[in-house]
Each structure stands twice: as structure tokens, then as C-alpha cells.
Amino acid sequence: EVQMLESGGDLVQPGGSLRLSCAAAGFTLRTYSLNWVRQAPGKGLEWVSGISASGGSKYYAESVKGRFTVSRDNSQNTLALQMNSLRAEDTAIYYCAKGSTVTTTGGYFDLWGRGTLVTVSS
Amino acid sequence: DIQMTQSPSSLSASVGDGVTVTCRASQTISSSLNWYQQKPGRAPKLLIYAASTLQSGVPSRFSGSGSGTDFTLTISSLQPEDFATYYCQQSYSSPQTFGQGTKVEIK
């Protein structure tokens, strides 16, 4: 079965750091762009970051730029999101989503993980 | 950034009703418009991509149309499993913004 599985969500204090991971099973990620999308409690979907198939192009939402870093390891079939200087407003379920193209735009998100919960609170 | 505005924010309908959700982009996005369905506690699921192409396995009662700035998602005959929140998303440029969502509830 093809699937993506996130891990790493936790309760963290404001100003703290957290690293999320996403592992793919049943297929290889190397020919697809990948994305992180989050959903705050009771709110809508917010695209957070995207990375091209090669890893050479990375994009971020303004709300996380300079604090979050996306990376991928195609040899390990994984995606990561390093989150620093966390704020209360970063509290959300974080989903990894597979893109349909090698580039980060022009396609769609056709496979999503179940999500991992990040809570930023003192 | 391209802003995506959905309407209505919520609607109530009965099983068997036809339903239309609209999505407007703040600038032209050609046909780079996708629709997702999300049920409570679940990850979003792709329904339609490139404005009008049905994702494999999605029932034919779902359809999409539009190009440029104005798009619609239509459910021809609501089924009990269709009660959910629907999001549009533009993939024309980064950031790939989502609409605020339309919650379809049972009347």
C-alpha cells in the first residue's frame, strides 16, 4: 500500500525547536515534489513549504520563512521540516503531501499523510 | 500571493440535492485549480485537479469547471458520505494557497 507517514509532533515551549519527518512507503519519492501543509485547530488548510524533486528548489509561506527549513533525502525516501523559534500560532496538525510533478507548482497533492500534531505552549 | 476566496463558507443540503461551491482567484491562474475533500479527523483527499479532471476513484457525481479566475465544484446528487469540508487550491504559483473551505452539512 502506498502511504506517507509523519512523525515528530510534540508539545514544545514557545521559542523552541522541533523536527518533523515524513516517510514514504510503497513507492519512491525521488521523482515528485513534496509539501508540508498545516491545519490549526478548527481552521482551514495552510500550505507551509514545498521542495522540488531534486531538492534544489525550496519555498516557504511568509508566516514561517526564516524559521522553518524543508529538506529531503531521496536515498532514504524521506522528507523533513526543521522548525525553529516556534510560536503559539504554529500549533497545528502538520501534513506531508506528495506533489504530482517534479516542480513545486503546476500540479496537485495526490497523496497525504495522516498528520502529526505540533502544540506550542508553555 | 494569490488569494483564493470560496463561497459559501457553509451550506446545508439534503441527500439527493445538487450543490455548487465557487472559488475565485485574486488573479488569473489558468486551469491550475484543485479541489480537496476533508472529513473530520481525516487528511484531505484530492477530488479534482486541473480545474475539471476527476481524480481516479472519485465518483462521477463530482465535477469541476472554470478557468482564469472563477471556478466551480458541483456535486450532482449529494450522498451521505459527501458531507464534509471542501477546499480549493491554486497551484499556479508559490505559495500554493487554499481557499478558506466550504462546509457541507446535512439539512
PDB file of all heavy atoms in Angstrom, chain A residues 45-68:
ATOM      1  N   LEU A  45      -6.892  24.821   5.743  1.00  0.00           N
ATOM      2  CA  LEU A  45      -5.579  24.336   5.348  1.00  0.00           C
ATOM      3  C   LEU A  45      -4.661  25.494   4.983  1.00  0.00           C
ATOM      4  O   LEU A  45      -5.078  26.456   4.331  1.00  0.00           O
ATOM      5  CB  LEU A  45      -5.720  23.410   4.122  1.00  0.00           C
ATOM      6  CG  LEU A  45      -6.615  22.189   4.306  1.00  0.00           C
ATOM      7  CD1 LEU A  45      -6.787  21.473   2.977  1.00  0.00           C
ATOM      8  CD2 LEU A  45      -6.043  21.261   5.367  1.00  0.00           C
ATOM      9  N   GLU A  46      -3.401  25.391   5.410  1.00  0.00           N
ATOM     10  CA  GLU A  46      -2.397  26.398   5.082  1.00  0.00           C
ATOM     11  C   GLU A  46      -1.164  25.694   4.536  1.00  0.00           C
ATOM     12  O   GLU A  46      -0.536  24.903   5.238  1.00  0.00           O
ATOM     13  CB  GLU A  46      -2.023  27.229   6.306  1.00  0.00           C
ATOM     14  CG  GLU A  46      -0.965  28.278   6.006  1.00  0.00           C
ATOM     15  CD  GLU A  46      -0.415  28.977   7.240  1.00  0.00           C
ATOM     16  OE1 GLU A  46      -0.629  28.493   8.359  1.00  0.00           O
ATOM     17  OE2 GLU A  46       0.223  30.030   7.088  1.00  0.00           O
ATOM     18  N   TRP A  47      -0.815  25.992   3.295  1.00  0.00           N
ATOM     19  CA  TRP A  47       0.418  25.474   2.736  1.00  0.00           C
ATOM     20  C   TRP A  47       1.588  26.115   3.480  1.00  0.00           C
ATOM     21  O   TRP A  47       1.607  27.329   3.676  1.00  0.00           O
ATOM     22  CB  TRP A  47       0.478  25.776   1.251  1.00  0.00           C
ATOM     23  CG  TRP A  47       1.754  25.375   0.585  1.00  0.00           C
ATOM     24  CD1 TRP A  47       2.073  24.147   0.074  1.00  0.00           C
ATOM     25  CD2 TRP A  47       2.888  26.202   0.356  1.00  0.00           C
ATOM     26  NE1 TRP A  47       3.334  24.176  -0.459  1.00  0.00           N
ATOM     27  CE2 TRP A  47       3.863  25.436  -0.299  1.00  0.00           C
ATOM     28  CE3 TRP A  47       3.180  27.538   0.640  1.00  0.00           C
ATOM     29  CZ2 TRP A  47       5.104  25.944  -0.672  1.00  0.00           C
ATOM     30  CZ3 TRP A  47       4.407  28.048   0.269  1.00  0.00           C
ATOM     31  CH2 TRP A  47       5.351  27.245  -0.381  1.00  0.00           C
ATOM     32  N   VAL A  48       2.578  25.301   3.872  1.00  0.00           N
ATOM     33  CA  VAL A  48       3.701  25.785   4.678  1.00  0.00           C
ATOM     34  C   VAL A  48       4.993  25.843   3.872  1.00  0.00           C
ATOM     35  O   VAL A  48       5.718  26.843   3.915  1.00  0.00           O
ATOM     36  CB  VAL A  48       3.899  24.862   5.906  1.00  0.00           C
ATOM     37  CG1 VAL A  48       5.183  25.199   6.657  1.00  0.00           C
ATOM     38  CG2 VAL A  48       2.692  24.956   6.831  1.00  0.00           C
ATOM     39  N   SER A  49       5.283  24.754   3.146  1.00  0.00           N
ATOM     40  CA  SER A  49       6.563  24.676   2.453  1.00  0.00           C
ATOM     41  C   SER A  49       6.498  23.630   1.359  1.00  0.00           C
ATOM     42  O   SER A  49       5.732  22.668   1.449  1.00  0.00           O
ATOM     43  CB  SER A  49       7.674  24.317   3.449  1.00  0.00           C
ATOM     44  OG  SER A  49       8.932  24.244   2.802  1.00  0.00           O
ATOM     45  N   GLY A  50       7.313  23.829   0.324  1.00  0.00           N
ATOM     46  CA  GLY A  50       7.405  22.858  -0.762  1.00  0.00           C
ATOM     47  C   GLY A  50       8.844  22.712  -1.204  1.00  0.00           C
ATOM     48  O   GLY A  50       9.647  23.647  -1.080  1.00  0.00           O
ATOM     49  N   ILE A  51       9.175  21.529  -1.718  1.00  0.00           N
ATOM     50  CA  ILE A  51      10.526  21.257  -2.188  1.00  0.00           C
ATOM     51  C   ILE A  51      10.434  20.446  -3.477  1.00  0.00           C
ATOM     52  O   ILE A  51       9.618  19.535  -3.600  1.00  0.00           O
ATOM     53  CB  ILE A  51      11.352  20.522  -1.098  1.00  0.00           C
ATOM     54  CG1 ILE A  51      12.799  20.316  -1.527  1.00  0.00           C
ATOM     55  CG2 ILE A  51      10.697  19.192  -0.709  1.00  0.00           C
ATOM     56  CD1 ILE A  51      13.715  19.849  -0.388  1.00  0.00           C
ATOM     57  N   SER A  52      11.255  20.800  -4.442  1.00  0.00           N
ATOM     58  CA  SER A  52      11.223  20.114  -5.731  1.00  0.00           C
ATOM     59  C   SER A  52      11.788  18.705  -5.604  1.00  0.00           C
ATOM     60  O   SER A  52      12.366  18.331  -4.585  1.00  0.00           O
ATOM     61  CB  SER A  52      12.015  20.918  -6.758  1.00  0.00           C
ATOM     62  OG  SER A  52      13.376  21.034  -6.347  1.00  0.00           O
ATOM     63  N   ALA A  53      11.635  17.929  -6.662  1.00  0.00           N
ATOM     64  CA  ALA A  53      12.065  16.530  -6.634  1.00  0.00           C
ATOM     65  C   ALA A  53      13.554  16.398  -6.354  1.00  0.00           C
ATOM     66  O   ALA A  53      13.990  15.512  -5.615  1.00  0.00           O
ATOM     67  CB  ALA A  53      11.716  15.842  -7.952  1.00  0.00           C
ATOM     68  N   SER A  54      14.340  17.274  -6.915  1.00  0.00           N
ATOM     69  CA  SER A  54      15.791  17.218  -6.734  1.00  0.00           C
ATOM     70  C   SER A  54      16.231  17.813  -5.400  1.00  0.00           C
ATOM     71  O   SER A  54      17.354  17.590  -4.950  1.00  0.00           O
ATOM     72  CB  SER A  54      16.489  17.978  -7.856  1.00  0.00           C
ATOM     73  OG  SER A  54      16.213  19.360  -7.762  1.00  0.00           O
ATOM     74  N   GLY A  55      15.347  18.595  -4.802  1.00  0.00           N
ATOM     75  CA  GLY A  55      15.705  19.314  -3.578  1.00  0.00           C
ATOM     76  C   GLY A  55      16.347  20.657  -3.862  1.00  0.00           C
ATOM     77  O   GLY A  55      16.678  21.385  -2.935  1.00  0.00           O
ATOM     78  N   GLY A  56      16.505  20.995  -5.120  1.00  0.00           N
ATOM     79  CA  GLY A  56      17.197  22.220  -5.477  1.00  0.00           C
ATOM     80  C   GLY A  56      16.372  23.482  -5.312  1.00  0.00           C
ATOM     81  O   GLY A  56      16.914  24.577  -5.212  1.00  0.00           O
ATOM     82  N   SER A  57      15.050  23.340  -5.287  1.00  0.00           N
ATOM     83  CA  SER A  57      14.164  24.497  -5.107  1.00  0.00           C
ATOM     84  C   SER A  57      13.309  24.288  -3.868  1.00  0.00           C
ATOM     85  O   SER A  57      12.693  23.234  -3.713  1.00  0.00           O
ATOM     86  CB  SER A  57      13.260  24.682  -6.334  1.00  0.00           C
ATOM     87  OG  SER A  57      14.015  24.969  -7.484  1.00  0.00           O
ATOM     88  N   LYS A  58      13.286  25.308  -3.029  1.00  0.00           N
ATOM     89  CA  LYS A  58      12.514  25.252  -1.790  1.00  0.00           C
ATOM     90  C   LYS A  58      11.713  26.534  -1.656  1.00  0.00           C
ATOM     91  O   LYS A  58      12.201  27.611  -1.985  1.00  0.00           O
ATOM     92  CB  LYS A  58      13.456  25.106  -0.584  1.00  0.00           C
ATOM     93  CG  LYS A  58      14.369  23.894  -0.654  1.00  0.00           C
ATOM     94  CD  LYS A  58      15.327  23.851   0.520  1.00  0.00           C
ATOM     95  CE  LYS A  58      16.281  22.659   0.373  1.00  0.00           C
ATOM     96  NZ  LYS A  58      17.231  22.568   1.517  1.00  0.00           N
ATOM     97  N   TYR A  59      10.498  26.414  -1.152  1.00  0.00           N
ATOM     98  CA  TYR A  59       9.624  27.563  -0.998  1.00  0.00           C
ATOM     99  C   TYR A  59       8.953  27.496   0.370  1.00  0.00           C
ATOM    100  O   TYR A  59       8.715  26.411   0.907  1.00  0.00           O
ATOM    101  CB  TYR A  59       8.562  27.581  -2.099  1.00  0.00           C
ATOM    102  CG  TYR A  59       9.140  27.681  -3.479  1.00  0.00           C
ATOM    103  CD1 TYR A  59       9.454  26.533  -4.198  1.00  0.00           C
ATOM    104  CD2 TYR A  59       9.410  28.916  -4.062  1.00  0.00           C
ATOM    105  CE1 TYR A  59      10.012  26.605  -5.459  1.00  0.00           C
ATOM    106  CE2 TYR A  59       9.959  28.995  -5.328  1.00  0.00           C
ATOM    107  CZ  TYR A  59      10.255  27.839  -6.020  1.00  0.00           C
ATOM    108  OH  TYR A  59      10.807  27.932  -7.276  1.00  0.00           O
ATOM    109  N   TYR A  60       8.635  28.690   0.891  1.00  0.00           N
ATOM    110  CA  TYR A  60       8.044  28.781   2.222  1.00  0.00           C
ATOM    111  C   TYR A  60       6.923  29.807   2.249  1.00  0.00           C
ATOM    112  O   TYR A  60       6.967  30.809   1.528  1.00  0.00           O
ATOM    113  CB  TYR A  60       9.106  29.190   3.245  1.00  0.00           C
ATOM    114  CG  TYR A  60      10.283  28.241   3.326  1.00  0.00           C
ATOM    115  CD1 TYR A  60      11.426  28.459   2.577  1.00  0.00           C
ATOM    116  CD2 TYR A  60      10.229  27.115   4.155  1.00  0.00           C
ATOM    117  CE1 TYR A  60      12.493  27.581   2.635  1.00  0.00           C
ATOM    118  CE2 TYR A  60      11.298  26.232   4.219  1.00  0.00           C
ATOM    119  CZ  TYR A  60      12.423  26.472   3.457  1.00  0.00           C
ATOM    120  OH  TYR A  60      13.484  25.603   3.519  1.00  0.00           O
ATOM    121  N   ALA A  61       5.942  29.567   3.092  1.00  0.00           N
ATOM    122  CA  ALA A  61       4.952  30.591   3.378  1.00  0.00           C
ATOM    123  C   ALA A  61       5.631  31.725   4.135  1.00  0.00           C
ATOM    124  O   ALA A  61       6.577  31.495   4.894  1.00  0.00           O
ATOM    125  CB  ALA A  61       3.820  30.004   4.212  1.00  0.00           C
ATOM    126  N   GLU A  62       5.126  32.949   3.960  1.00  0.00           N
ATOM    127  CA  GLU A  62       5.714  34.096   4.655  1.00  0.00           C
ATOM    128  C   GLU A  62       5.695  33.912   6.163  1.00  0.00           C
ATOM    129  O   GLU A  62       6.591  34.366   6.869  1.00  0.00           O
ATOM    130  CB  GLU A  62       4.964  35.359   4.272  1.00  0.00           C
ATOM    131  CG  GLU A  62       5.344  35.963   2.941  1.00  0.00           C
ATOM    132  CD  GLU A  62       6.805  36.381   2.859  1.00  0.00           C
ATOM    133  OE1 GLU A  62       7.346  36.870   3.885  1.00  0.00           O
ATOM    134  OE2 GLU A  62       7.418  36.198   1.788  1.00  0.00           O
ATOM    135  N   SER A  63       4.671  33.211   6.648  1.00  0.00           N
ATOM    136  CA  SER A  63       4.491  33.048   8.090  1.00  0.00           C
ATOM    137  C   SER A  63       5.582  32.198   8.735  1.00  0.00           C
ATOM    138  O   SER A  63       5.753  32.241   9.958  1.00  0.00           O
ATOM    139  CB  SER A  63       3.123  32.423   8.370  1.00  0.00           C
ATOM    140  OG  SER A  63       2.988  31.181   7.697  1.00  0.00           O
ATOM    141  N   VAL A  64       6.327  31.430   7.941  1.00  0.00           N
ATOM    142  CA  VAL A  64       7.352  30.554   8.502  1.00  0.00           C
ATOM    143  C   VAL A  64       8.741  30.828   7.929  1.00  0.00           C
ATOM    144  O   VAL A  64       9.733  30.230   8.377  1.00  0.00           O
ATOM    145  CB  VAL A  64       7.002  29.061   8.292  1.00  0.00           C
ATOM    146  CG1 VAL A  64       5.602  28.761   8.814  1.00  0.00           C
ATOM    147  CG2 VAL A  64       7.137  28.654   6.839  1.00  0.00           C
ATOM    148  N   LYS A  65       8.820  31.719   6.972  1.00  0.00           N
ATOM    149  CA  LYS A  65      10.092  31.988   6.303  1.00  0.00           C
ATOM    150  C   LYS A  65      11.127  32.473   7.311  1.00  0.00           C
ATOM    151  O   LYS A  65      10.848  33.334   8.157  1.00  0.00           O
ATOM    152  CB  LYS A  65       9.889  33.022   5.193  1.00  0.00           C
ATOM    153  CG  LYS A  65      10.990  33.064   4.158  1.00  0.00           C
ATOM    154  CD  LYS A  65      10.607  33.995   3.011  1.00  0.00           C
ATOM    155  CE  LYS A  65       9.502  33.437   2.161  1.00  0.00           C
ATOM    156  NZ  LYS A  65       9.210  34.283   0.978  1.00  0.00           N
ATOM    157  N   GLY A  66      12.319  31.886   7.231  1.00  0.00           N
ATOM    158  CA  GLY A  66      13.385  32.247   8.153  1.00  0.00           C
ATOM    159  C   GLY A  66      13.377  31.440   9.435  1.00  0.00           C
ATOM    160  O   GLY A  66      14.351  31.480  10.202  1.00  0.00           O
ATOM    161  N   ARG A  67      12.301  30.726   9.700  1.00  0.00           N
ATOM    162  CA  ARG A  67      12.204  29.908  10.927  1.00  0.00           C
ATOM    163  C   ARG A  67      12.161  28.411  10.605  1.00  0.00           C
ATOM    164  O   ARG A  67      12.651  27.595  11.397  1.00  0.00           O
ATOM    165  CB  ARG A  67      10.955  30.283  11.714  1.00  0.00           C
ATOM    166  CG  ARG A  67      10.909  31.736  12.157  1.00  0.00           C
ATOM    167  CD  ARG A  67       9.731  31.985  13.087  1.00  0.00           C
ATOM    168  NE  ARG A  67       8.440  31.741  12.455  1.00  0.00           N
ATOM    169  CZ  ARG A  67       7.534  30.878  12.919  1.00  0.00           C
ATOM    170  NH1 ARG A  67       7.762  30.194  14.015  1.00  0.00           N
ATOM    171  NH2 ARG A  67       6.367  30.714  12.296  1.00  0.00           N
ATOM    172  N   PHE A  68      11.556  28.059   9.488  1.00  0.00           N
ATOM    173  CA  PHE A  68      11.411  26.650   9.103  1.00  0.00           C
ATOM    174  C   PHE A  68      12.335  26.343   7.928  1.00  0.00           C
ATOM    175  O   PHE A  68      12.566  27.193   7.057  1.00  0.00           O
ATOM    176  CB  PHE A  68       9.973  26.353   8.675  1.00  0.00           C
ATOM    177  CG  PHE A  68       8.947  26.360   9.787  1.00  0.00           C
ATOM    178  CD1 PHE A  68       9.234  26.846  11.057  1.00  0.00           C
ATOM    179  CD2 PHE A  68       7.672  25.885   9.550  1.00  0.00           C
ATOM    180  CE1 PHE A  68       8.285  26.853  12.066  1.00  0.00           C
ATOM    181  CE2 PHE A  68       6.701  25.874  10.540  1.00  0.00           C
ATOM    182  CZ  PHE A  68       7.015  26.370  11.805  1.00  0.00           C
TER     183      PHE A  68
END
